[in-house]
Amino acid sequence: DAKTTQPPSMDCAEGRAANLPCNHSTISGNEYVYWYRQIHSQGPQYIIHGLKNNETNEMASLIITEDRKSSTLILPHATLRDTAVYYCIVRVVNQAGTALIFGKGTTLSVSS
Amino acid sequence: NAGVMQNPRHLVRRRGQEARLRCSPMKGHSHVYWYRQLPEEGLKFMVYLQKENIIDESGMPKERFSAEFPKEGPSILRIQQVVRGDSAAYFCASSDGNTGELFFGEGSRLTVL
């Protein structure tokens, strides 16, 4: 069973920020939050991950609440190429025998 | 540094034939994961292997499916006596086992006639 809850779909105007929420109320202290996305029929692509602190890279920012029960992925200036299914996943790093378990994700549609 | 390479990209088989899908992980990666994506559905974990060992096969169907990752060469996902329900995209991912980041290939699309 997926440990995260995401809205099934979201819309965003091109050039605006896309804020994708994720609930993970049962997250354990040693579990990280990962975000991946899958652009139509392609292989999933890693975006970002974090444990407690907010993280930023060239693709996105990850905001994790203080209690770690939810997080938000922010794409600061969405483009049409950001249209994809976005997956929020919790996982223990460095634990042998654990794979990424994908839920249904959020389908983000960016329109002009 | 080449990414995860999967081949063939497209494979057509008739019912009852065998399908073999190959995955070469990124250089330096010894952890391989196989996922299946049925049409209009999400990614389903199948199996996780390290060199010569199956670590987790909880997502593998009990019959007809097998996977290996030999000491030398690519990882192989083998499907015997394929049925139409096996038609799907099969994705392979690899990792170094340390960072937790998985790198995915572009997938192999199996069509069973």
Side-chain angles (χ1 to χ4, degrees):
Chain A
D1 293 337
K3 294 183 177 181
T4 63
T5 303
Q6 298 177 252
S9 63
M10 292 184 65
D11 295 318
C12 181
E14 189 178 21
R16 304 297 293 268
N19 298 297
L20 291 91
C22 179
N23 287 324
H24 31 78
S25 58
T26 61
I27 192 169
S28 301
N30 60 348
E31 287 182 314
Y32 288 67
V33 179
Y34 283 80
W35 283 85
Y36 280 74
R37 72 180 181 183
Q38 186 177 25
I39 297 171
H40 180 64
S41 298
Q42 298 180 17
Q45 177 188 24
Y46 166 82
I47 301 174
I48 199 167
H49 76 282
L51 182 63
K52 295 180 183 179
N53 300 321
N54 298 337
E55 302 288 343
T56 295
N57 62 21
E58 65 278 4
M59 290 183 67
S61 295
L62 174 60
I63 308 298
I64 303 174
T65 57
E66 191 170 345
D67 62 8
R68 303 212 318 126
K69 292 186 176 182
S70 65
S71 60
T72 301
L73 178 75
I74 301 173
L75 307 178
H77 305 286
T79 70
L80 298 178
R81 288 177 294 180
D82 291 322
T83 292
V85 180
Y86 286 78
Y87 298 97
C88 169
I89 303 163
V90 296
R91 178 173 181 259
V92 177
V93 180
N94 298 339
Q95 182 178 33
T98 62
L100 286 176
I101 305 300
F102 289 81
K104 296 185 184 299
T106 296
T107 298
L108 175 67
S109 298
V110 181
S111 57
S112 57
Chain B
N1 186 16
V4 177
M5 303 301 291
Q6 292 189 246
N7 67 83
R9 294 292 308 278
H10 299 274
L11 182 64
V12 179
R13 285 287 180 266
R14 297 189 181 279
R15 281 179 296 170
Q17 292 184 319
E18 179 180 286
R20 286 195 180 212
L21 310 177
R22 289 176 291 277
C23 170
S24 296
M26 285 184 67
K27 186 177 181 180
H29 286 187
S30 60
H31 300 243
V32 165
Y33 309 77
W34 285 94
Y35 289 81
R36 177 166 68 173
Q37 188 168 36
L38 296 170
E40 307 302 323
E41 294 191 12
L43 288 149
K44 299 297 183 185
F45 166 73
M46 299 181 74
V47 62
Y48 163 33
L49 311 100
Q50 293 182 32
K51 280 290 186 180
E52 301 185 274
N53 293 306
I54 295 175
I55 306 301
D56 180 357
E57 56 181 347
S58 58
M60 286 281 270
K62 299 301 180 187
E63 297 178 345
R64 303 186 296 109
F65 284 72
S66 62
E68 62 177 10
F69 189 16
K71 186 176 181 180
E72 301 292 336
S75 175
I76 307 287
L77 180 67
R78 181 184 180 200
I79 311 172
Q80 294 178 289
Q81 300 174 342
V82 296
V83 301
R84 288 207 173 118
D86 297 332
S87 295
Y90 292 83
F91 290 98
C92 170
S94 74
S95 77
D96 62 8
N98 293 321
T99 65
E101 181 180 345
L102 269 61
F103 295 83
F104 283 81
E106 290 304 312
S108 292
R109 281 151 184 84
L110 172 66
T111 300
V112 180
L113 301 178

